[in-house]
Amino acid sequence: MRIPLFVSLALAIVSSAAAPAARAADAGTAYVVTYFETVPTDTGKARSLLRQFAQASRKESGNLRIEILQRIGQPDQFVILEAWKDQDAQAAHAAAIHARQFRERLASLLRGPYDERPHTALAVGPVNALPESESAKAAVYAVTHVDIVPTQREVGTALVKRLSEDGRNDTGNVRFEALTQSSRTNHMTVVEIWPDRKAADAFGMAASKRDFREKLMPLSGSLYDERLYRIIN
């Protein structure tokens, strides 16, 4: 009997839980979400630099995981998702020679700013890195920036927490976490991982997701910004 894709992917992730990049996060975990766009003709160079940066970063003390994502349909847009044991580990990484060299080499390939946003955990569940496999290549990441008007921050935060809980319970979900931006606590980032585009689209149409968006809209300070990516680790 053929094992469904989402089952095989989930089993592969669980089997990797003992690896350093798959340790569970705790309240002190430091997260960084970075967005940037390259000159379209330089995306290949950027991918090469990103892979080198990720490989070196994973060897650092305190690294929990680092995931390099490229946007579906707009390959010149990238996201780096980082998780570090604590703020000290993240600060040491930022000061590391290889990290500084990466930023210097990447600068000439960019057509906009390198938008690095430190975060803390808002609502996270099991935190496992995707395995290097054919099924992992089909996985889809949904990364969403949520902007709540300051006066409605508590209400909006509760909605985002509930969405994260509902998402983790959805059949086929690989990972679902919500993060709070350190410098602006009314700004949040939601990260979802689904085994394929079909599963991601299905959750987008689920009653819980539609209810969330309906309730979020009057509290939002900007358009709902959900972007889909694939991992290029």
Side-chain angles (χ1 to χ4, degrees):
M1 181 177 68
R2 184 178 179 181
I3 300 175
L5 175 59
F6 74 82
V7 174
S8 62
L9 178 56
L11 289 172
I13 291 173
V14 170
S15 71
S16 70
R23 290 177 293 182
D26 58 31
T29 300
Y31 298 88
V32 180
V33 181
T34 302
Y35 303 86
F36 63 88
E37 298 178 45
T38 66
V39 175
T41 54
D42 286 333
T43 56
K45 293 178 182 178
R47 284 169 61 104
S48 179
L49 285 175
L50 282 161
R51 286 195 176 101
Q52 294 172 31
F53 168 72
Q55 290 171 3
S57 298
R58 293 187 188 110
K59 296 176 183 178
E60 293 183 60
S61 175
N63 178 255
L64 298 181
R65 71 183 187 276
I66 182 165
E67 293 157 308
I68 309 299
L69 311 180
Q70 188 170 24
R71 191 172 179 185
I72 296 172
Q74 292 184 263
D76 56 326
Q77 297 185 11
F78 296 86
V79 165
I80 304 173
L81 301 177
E82 304 174 49
W84 299 87
K85 181 180 178 181
D86 50 35
Q87 293 289 343
D88 288 342
Q90 196 281 320
H93 160 72
I97 292 176
H98 82 89
R100 287 186 282 128
Q101 288 178 337
F102 163 71
R103 290 283 300 275
E104 291 168 0
R105 292 168 181 167
L106 184 67
S108 64
L109 310 180
L110 299 181
R111 64 171 181 172
Y114 187 84
D115 187 359
E116 185 177 81
R117 304 184 180 203
H119 289 68
T120 57
L122 173 61
V124 300
V127 180
N128 296 299
L130 281 165
E132 294 294 337
S133 67
E134 288 303 315
S135 25
K137 292 178 182 178
V140 170
Y141 281 69
V143 180
T144 306
H145 176 69
V146 179
D147 177 2
I148 306 295
V149 293
T151 56
Q152 296 296 323
R153 181 177 62 84
E154 291 185 7
V155 177
T157 296
L159 286 174
V160 173
K161 283 184 176 181
R162 178 62 183 272
L163 174 71
S164 184
E165 293 166 1
D166 289 342
R168 280 196 294 275
N169 291 327
D170 193 87
T171 301
N173 180 255
V174 177
R175 193 166 86 223
F176 209 116
E177 61 190 14
L179 311 173
T180 300
Q181 194 169 323
S182 302
S183 60
R184 288 173 285 185
T185 56
N186 61 312
H187 288 201
M188 286 154 267
T189 299
V190 178
V191 179
E192 312 167 34
I193 308 178
W194 300 94
D196 51 36
R197 181 65 181 268
K198 182 179 179 180
D201 289 343
F203 183 70
M205 295 182 289
S208 59
K209 183 67 171 285
R210 287 183 290 162
D211 181 63
F212 164 75
R213 293 191 62 177
E214 187 74 24
K215 292 177 178 176
L216 181 73
M217 192 273 289
L219 315 178
S220 183
S222 63
L223 293 173
Y224 189 73
D225 190 11
E226 180 180 85
R227 305 180 183 189
L228 301 182
Y229 299 84
R230 294 199 191 278
I231 195 165
I232 62 168
N233 283 16

